[in-house]
Structure formats: C-alpha cells, structure tokens
Amino acid sequence: MREAASFEQLLAAKEIVICCGAGGVGKTTVAAAAATMASVSLGGTVLVLTIDPARRLADALGLEALGNNETQVPPDVLRRAGIEPRGQLWAAMLDTKQSWDDLVRAHAPDARTAERILENPLYQNVSGRFVQSHEYIAMERLYEIHRSGRYDLIVVDTPPTRNAIDFLAAPDRMAEFFSSRLLRWITGPGRSRVVNLATRPFYQVADRLLGSQFLEDIAEFFLSFQTMYPGFIERATAVKRLLHDRRTTFVVVTTLENAPVREAEFFVSALADQKFHMGALVLNKVLPAYLLDADAARVAERLVAAAPAVAAAVPDAGDPATVERVLREVGVSFSNFEVVAKREAELRAELAQAAEVIVSVPSFETDIFDVGGLLRIGRAVWGS
Amino acid sequence: MSVALLDRRLLLVTGKGGTGKTSVTAALALLAAQRGTRVLACEVDAKGNLSDFYESPRLSFRPREVQPGLFAMSMSTEEALQEYLRLQLHLPAIARIGPLARAFDFVATAAPGVREILTVGKLAYEARERNYGLVVADASASGHVIGQLVAPKAIDELVRVGPIHDQTGWMLDVLGDPAITGLVIVTTPEEMPVNETIELIGRVRAETDVELAAIVVNRVLPELFSHADEQVFERLREPEVAEAVAAGVGDEGGYGAGLSAVFEAARLAVTLRRTRAGHLDRLREALPAEVPMLFVPYLFTRGHGLRTTGQTAEALSAELGY
C-alpha cells in the first residue's frame, strides 16, 4: 500500500484515526480539528469521539449534556464559520461509567445478573478504575461505533494517561485478567469456595489482613462478573484486531517540550514494535518561525544594548524614559522567546525521522473554542 | 490563620498533566531543604521523571540523598506492601513472598483503593514517624488523585475488621489534619488546566478531608507593558516611527523583517499574557479566599534540570515571602 504523503491523504485513506500523546499537548483540539476539516474538505460522515473536551469547545460542537450519544454538529454552526460543509460532522463524548454499564448489560447472561453486578458496591467503585478502565472502554466504544458502519471516518481522542501506550495494552490486560487462574480459583465452583479454602495458608494470611467479609464480597463480585467472561474475551480480542487493522492509523500529537517529546518518541517506537500503523506526527502549539530570524535577533540585541540611543532617534514617540524602557522590554522579550523557539527547533530536528507525515500547528494567541478556531488548526494541519 | 505551606509535614502535589507538577514538587522540596528541613521527595508514579529535575540517577523505593538534606524516592506499591507487612503486622517472611504477592496483585487490580492505600499509607507513615521534617509527594494527576486521597476511607468501609481496618484510622487522622497535610494543585494559566483545577477544588472539598494548601500557577508570562508603555509601543509600530527606530538600531534595510518580527513577538507576548489573565481571574473567583495562589514565571530556558528547579524554588520562595 502506498503511504500517505499528506495528512489529508491519510484521513482520506483510513477509517479510524487515533490521536495519542502526553497530557496537555492538545490531543482533543487536534482530533476535533482533524475531524472538522475532514468533514469539510473530504466529505462523508465523520465522527469525533472525544474524552474530555473543554466546555466551550463542547458547547461549540453542540455537545453539552449529550454524554455518550453521537450527535450531529448542526451544519449551521459550520456555515456561521463561513464554511459550506461537503459532509456531516458528528461528535460524541465518552462517559466511562455509562459505557461500562452498557457493556455489563450487553454481556451479562440475564438481566438479573446484570443488575446484581451493577448494584454491587465493589463494581461501583471498580467501574471507575478497573484495570485501566478508561483506556479499555474508549477502545471498546470505538469498536462498537465502527461496527455500526454509520461513519466513513472516526477520529478518536485518547484518555490522558501517564503512559500513553497503556490503552493499547488494555484489551490484552482485560483478557488476561479474565483468564487469570486466580480469578478462577477465587470464584471456582461453589459460592463458599473462599471459606472452604480457609485452611490454606494464603487464605489465613489474607483473612488476617482483610477479614473474611471483605474476601466474600470480592468473591461474590467476581462470581457475578465471571458470567460475562466469554463475551468479554471475545470482545477484547476483536477490539485488539481492530486496532491492528489496516484501516486504522495512529496520529501522535506532541508539543515541542522535553517531556512530551520524549513520550512521543517512546510512543512512536512502541507503535512500530507492536506493528500498529503510524500515520502522522502533529507538532502542536509551535512558536512562530520569525522567532528564529537572525536579523530579528540582532535587532533585539541592539534594542537592549542601545536603548537610549534608539530612543533618541524617535523623539516624538513619547516620554523618552518610557520609550527607552519599552524598546528594551521589546528586545528582551524577543530574546526570551527566541530561546524557547530554538529549543523547539532542536526538538523538531530530533523528531524529523519519526514519521512519514509531520505537520505543525502554530501556537494561537487565543484559546480555540469554536468551529472557526478548529478550522484554523485544521487548515494548518492540511496545509503543512 | 492557616498553616504556612512549608510548616506542614506532608504536601501532596497534583495537577493536570503537562502543567509542571513534577517540577513544582522538586522545587518545593528543594526550597524546604535549603531552608534547613530534612525533606523526602517522593514520586508516586513509578514512570515519573523526578530524577531529571535533580539531575540524579534513577530513583528507587529506597530514598537517595540528591541534594544536602533532600532525599528522593520513587513509590513502589509492592515494596510498600512488603515494608508494611514487616513493620506493621510482623508477618514472617514466608507470608510475604510468592503466592501472597500474586494474590495481592490480583486483589489490588480489582478492589478499589488497595494500591492507593499503600501509596498514601507510606507517605502518611513517613510524615507520622517524623523521619523527615517534610514529605513532598508528586501525587497522581488531578484525574486520579481523589482516588488516592479517599483510599483510607474506602478501605475503612470495605474492610470492616482486622489489622488493615485498624490502620486506616491513623491515616485518616494524618490526612485530615491541616497542620500536617496540605494539597497543592499545580496549574498553568490556560483554559483546560484552569477548568480542571476548579473542578478538582470542588471535588477535594466535597469528597475528602484534606486541606487545600495552595494553588501554584506555573509558567506565568511576564507583564510586558503598563498602560502607558502600551501606548508608546503602539506609536513605535506606526510605519514612519518604526522606520526611525530601524535607523536608530542600524538596520540598513529600514523597517524590514528584523524589526517587524521583534515587534510582532512583543505583540504576541502581550496577547498571550492577556488571554491567560482571564483564566486566572476565573480561578481566583472559584478559589476560597484563604487559599494562596503562588505564581511561578515562565522560565525562558533551554532545558529542565537542577538549575531550573533552583529558579522555580527561588520564585516560590519569593511568593511565600521568604
């Protein structure tokens, strides 16, 4: 298969685009911008599945109070931003708790078992945190939506994890957890298995530590949960297959700061190791190129070094002391930002080999919170 | 009057990913050590990079002195469990290895709060034992920190008898005592981090007994101009004046790319600062009056290491009035 030469081709060729990267790099915004741009310029029905969008962005997309449901962004919202969309833009937010509840209902053998699980106090705590539950449920939802066949393209934002690779391993871990010998051992035949094991040294220690009531609660919970085993395993395997499918690609988003770049590099190599398709690298919030301009740097230095002389050259600009201070401030500020821009340039050079497609999104001066803003980002991604 | 930040014995530092939580943790610990306190800095996330901020070798569960009077460690729930079993329950070594560790791993995967309580328990233990004057923890990011803070309460409710149950009491005492424990939330003056901070403040108050000790606003851009300065700046950018500035600088090309880029950069700095000021106003409004906001300037530096940790500590020192 020919590799995509641009971000646009990548989005045109794939059905699922998964945006990942360190926390705070702007994954959500990049995902929303890519989906918006795809619906506008490629057409078709495009969905952006976001995890935790900024409230103003959610409002702008008409996502308020919609939770798990997929909703179309009204075409008027796009028209007001001066765009006549060719396709449809849809959006959905991931509600972890709700998704887990749905999953339990879908896989429990009967309604009574489902209710028993949903009401178990352990489940209530666990569904929020269970084995990387955010990561797993995001991929699970993606699978479900993709299977519905309603969308030509799905762009997914991933949950903030310290270790961005976690969600790739989530389906495996989930399957592993359910196949665990210990789980079968604890929940083996007979409800009071745990108590019957009371003579075992392990149980004696565990009992001393936790009390038999707690152990029984756990056993009870797992007994119910166990009934979902076959469905779960099958599903986790299918989710994993989808992530490896050639219709799926990964977009790594990073800012040009040390820690996120290190994480992006790690992610890129992990994707390669596990044979996932690495589609593009998005460098977000990049400082303007003029900060690297050598003439400008020289001017800035002169402004600082010779502020009084320069101020004297513009006698009618205002109070001389103020003019001098402003000129110096302007020079210092440039040099400050130049340091950061140089650091960014170095990191960018380090990343040059990381992907076939590398695009930059400039650092916008104001927050991105409407469709117009998303389109500005989208055009930057498309154009570079 | 609330307790001065560094006079507490346990500071838990949290915040949205990417705001500089670890850098602030490193700086608070360094500052306290510089002021003569014996300090333990602990990264709760084993994959953290606290050692980068001290330019020290990789950290482990066993604290290492990274600066005079400043010890740093990396949390490991497994080792914390072993230490706990040895110190608190006097369990024989045989019970601490093999099947129990595996079983623990399994239970901890499923049961809420088990991993968290070991982490919080270890921190609270160090604070209680006074092995250190101050323990500063680079705790989980804001999405997960509540789980850590409520762990003793959750365990207290789930495990109703036995030595683990008995352990939760003193942990709750340590965490809930504002003279001992304080939560520090790190944010940057940007929309999402501020939103998440406001949300977290609400949850901390509603769901935990831990006192919010301070908000650290990281990467604050400098205020370039006063109002009068700004008028002068606008005047300087007018073409004929700018032409004269370019001549004064000795830019032979006149008001060319060089000077206009420099002006553009200043305008960018002003706009960025202004957009962000709005988010800070929102944060201040949402914040209880007694909780201090400490500002750390944006550091225009090449990398992050001991030197920038020192600069951050200096900024915090000034903000704390030292």
Side-chain angles (χ1 to χ4, degrees), chain B residues 165-176:
Chain B
H165 175 92
D166 300 342
Q167 294 292 326
T168 56
W170 69 264
M171 286 186 202
L172 288 168
D173 289 346
V174 168
L175 291 179

Side-chain angles (χ1 to χ4, degrees), chain A residues 54 56 126 162-163 202 208-210 213 222 262 290 296 302 316 322 325 330 336 343 346 365 367, chain B residues 45 47 52 89 91 103 110 159-160 163-164 191-192 229 235 249 262 264 267-268 275 279 301-302:
Chain A
R56 285 193 296 169
V126 163
R162 178 73 184 85
N163 184 347
F202 156 67
R208 223 183 116 193
L209 284 173
L210 301 163
Q213 182 60 50
F222 283 129
R262 217 173 306 139
Y290 62 70
R302 289 279 301 157
D316 53 348
T322 310
R325 184 173 65 239
V330 167
N336 281 339
R343 185 182 71 205
E346 267 167 44
E365 293 156 29
D367 304 316
Chain B
D45 187 330
K47 295 184 199 99
D52 291 352
L89 301 181
L91 279 183
V159 185
R160 290 173 208 95
I164 288 198
E191 179 173 24
M192 284 303 283
D229 290 352
R235 179 99 177 92
V249 177
V262 173
E264 189 53 29
R267 206 196 47 73
L268 175 71
T275 307
H279 296 309
T301 53
R302 299 181 54 77

Side-chain angles (χ1 to χ4, degrees), chain A residues 23-25 28 52-57 121-122 125-126 128-131 134-135 160-163 166 177 180-186 202 205-215 217-218 221-222 257-259 262 285 287-288 290-291 293 295-300 302-303 306 309-310 313-314 316-319 322-323 325-327 329-331 333-337 339-340 342-343 346 363-369, chain B residues 16-18 22 45 47-49 52 81 84-85 89-92 95 99-100 102-104 106-107 109-114 116 144 147-148 150 154-155 158-165 190-192 195-196 199 219 221-226 228-233 235-236 240-242 244-251 257-259 261-269 271-272 275-276 279 298-304:
Chain A
V25 298
T28 306
D52 185 23
R55 198 156 302 123
R56 285 193 296 169
L57 182 61
L122 276 172
N125 280 302
V126 163
R129 270 179 273 160
F130 188 50
V131 226
H134 288 282
E135 290 83 350
T161 43
R162 178 73 184 85
N163 184 347
D166 275 354
F177 180 78
S180 141
R181 265 175 53 212
L182 252 156
L183 179 58
R184 271 180 280 150
W185 185 67
I186 289 185
F202 156 67
V205 172
D207 182 47
R208 223 183 116 193
L209 284 173
L210 301 163
S212 48
Q213 182 60 50
F214 181 57
L215 284 182
D217 284 352
I218 290 183
F221 171 68
F222 283 129
E257 296 165 291
N258 288 326
R262 217 173 306 139
K285 304 185 198 172
L287 284 173
Y290 62 70
L291 292 169
D293 185 276
D295 286 342
R298 202 170 34 77
V299 169
R302 289 279 301 157
L303 284 179
V310 180
V314 281
D316 53 348
D319 163 54
T322 310
V323 173
R325 184 173 65 239
V326 168
L327 289 170
E329 279 287 321
V330 167
S333 178
F334 182 91
S335 304
N336 281 339
F337 277 94
V339 171
V340 181
K342 277 187 173 155
R343 185 182 71 205
E346 267 167 44
S363 161
F364 291 104
E365 293 156 29
T366 52
D367 304 316
I368 300 295
F369 58 88
Chain B
K16 182 174 162 61
T22 308
D45 187 330
K47 295 184 199 99
N49 61 339
D52 291 352
L81 174 67
Y84 164 78
L85 293 175
L89 301 181
H90 312 290
L91 279 183
L100 184 66
R102 274 213 312 280
F104 166 77
F106 182 79
V107 170
T109 302
V114 172
E116 285 87 349
H144 300 287
Q148 279 174 353
V150 301
I155 294 287
L158 283 167
V159 185
R160 290 173 208 95
V161 291
I164 288 198
H165 175 92
E190 294 165 287
E191 179 173 24
M192 284 303 283
N195 289 353
E196 205 166 299
E199 195 181 314
R219 301 196 197 129
L221 289 168
E223 180 79 271
L224 227 47
F225 302 133
S226 69
D229 290 352
E230 202 168 337
Q231 283 175 330
V232 168
F233 177 61
R235 179 99 177 92
L236 288 170
E240 70 279 13
V241 184
V245 173
V249 177
D251 200 351
L259 183 59
V262 173
F263 278 161
E264 189 53 29
R267 206 196 47 73
L268 175 71
T271 321
L272 281 175
T275 307
R276 292 168 183 207
H279 296 309
Y298 190 103
L299 298 175
F300 295 97
T301 53
R302 299 181 54 77
H304 288 277

Side-chain angles (χ1 to χ4, degrees), chain A residues 145-164:
Chain A
I145 292 172
H146 180 257
R147 208 174 56 154
S148 77
R150 286 193 295 271
Y151 303 97
D152 297 294
L153 175 67
I154 304 170
V155 183
V156 195
D157 173 21
T158 51
T161 43
R162 178 73 184 85
N163 184 347

Side-chain angles (χ1 to χ4, degrees), chain A residues 65-77:
Chain A
L66 287 168
N68 252 349
N69 300 325
E70 301 141 43
T71 316
Q72 185 175 5
V73 177
D76 273 350
V77 169

Side-chain angles (χ1 to χ4, degrees), chain B residues 20-59:
Chain B
K21 186 169 69 73
T22 308
S23 137
V24 169
T25 302
L28 281 172
L30 181 64
L31 176 60
Q34 284 168 346
R35 297 176 51 79
T37 306
R38 187 179 152 91
V39 183
L40 175 66
C42 173
E43 63 183 351
V44 162
D45 187 330
K47 295 184 199 99
N49 61 339
L50 181 62
S51 61
D52 291 352
F53 293 88
Y54 296 129
E55 294 177 22
S56 78
R58 249 174 83 95
L59 301 175

Side-chain angles (χ1 to χ4, degrees), chain B residues 16-311:
Chain B
K16 182 174 162 61
T19 55
K21 186 169 69 73
T22 308
S23 137
V24 169
T25 302
L28 281 172
L30 181 64
L31 176 60
Q34 284 168 346
R35 297 176 51 79
T37 306
R38 187 179 152 91
V39 183
L40 175 66
C42 173
E43 63 183 351
V44 162
D45 187 330
K47 295 184 199 99
N49 61 339
L50 181 62
S51 61
D52 291 352
F53 293 88
Y54 296 129
E55 294 177 22
S56 78
R58 249 174 83 95
L59 301 175
S60 67
F61 189 71
R62 235 186 133 89
R64 155 203 299 274
E65 190 164 12
V66 291
Q67 286 289 303
L70 169 53
F71 297 79
M73 65 170 281
S74 168
M75 183 60 71
S76 150
T77 43
E78 200 173 303
E79 285 180 77
L81 174 67
Q82 291 191 11
E83 185 181 84
Y84 164 78
L85 293 175
R86 196 180 64 238
L87 290 176
Q88 305 285 315
L89 301 181
H90 312 290
L91 279 183
I94 184 89
R96 305 199 302 261
I97 50 167
L100 184 66
R102 274 213 312 280
F104 166 77
D105 207 43
F106 182 79
V107 170
T109 302
V114 172
R115 259 182 231 291
E116 285 87 349
I117 201 167
L118 285 167
T119 297
V120 170
K122 167 73 178 169
L123 295 170
Y125 174 78
E126 294 296 342
R128 186 187 68 166
E129 294 300 301
R130 294 176 179 272
N131 293 328
Y132 301 92
L134 173 67
V135 178
V136 189
D138 182 4
S140 290
S142 39
H144 300 287
V145 75
I146 295 285
Q148 279 174 353
L149 299 180
V150 301
K153 220 188 258 177
I155 294 287
D156 193 48
E157 283 159 16
L158 283 167
V159 185
R160 290 173 208 95
V161 291
I164 288 198
H165 175 92
D166 300 342
Q167 294 292 326
T168 56
W170 69 264
M171 286 186 202
L172 288 168
D173 289 346
V174 168
L175 291 179
D177 185 345
I180 300 177
T181 303
L183 183 72
V184 175
I185 306 178
V186 182
T187 186
T188 53
E190 294 165 287
E191 179 173 24
M192 284 303 283
V194 164
N195 289 353
E196 205 166 299
T197 303
I198 291 172
E199 195 181 314
L200 182 60
I201 293 168
R203 289 195 63 190
V204 167
R205 307 200 115 198
E207 298 173 38
T208 81
D209 298 323
V210 181
E211 188 172 85
L212 180 57
I215 303 283
V216 175
V217 184
N218 200 10
R219 301 196 197 129
V220 178
L221 289 168
E223 180 79 271
L224 227 47
F225 302 133
S226 69
H227 185 65
D229 290 352
E230 202 168 337
Q231 283 175 330
V232 168
F233 177 61
E234 291 306 326
R235 179 99 177 92
L236 288 170
R237 290 172 69 210
E238 288 167 18
E240 70 279 13
V241 184
E243 210 55 66
V245 173
V249 177
D251 200 351
E252 285 119 30
Y255 181 33
L259 183 59
S260 67
V262 173
F263 278 161
E264 189 53 29
R267 206 196 47 73
L268 175 71
V270 169
T271 321
L272 281 175
R273 158 98 195 178
R274 203 156 294 157
T275 307
R276 292 168 183 207
H279 296 309
L280 288 183
D281 291 345
R282 250 178 344 112
L283 179 56
R284 182 74 266 177
E285 259 168 50
L287 203 59
E290 72 277 9
V291 179
M293 264 164 93
L294 310 173
F295 296 92
V296 175
Y298 190 103
L299 298 175
F300 295 97
T301 53
R302 299 181 54 77
H304 288 277
L306 191 54
R307 185 165 158 268
T308 48
T309 304
Q311 288 171 334

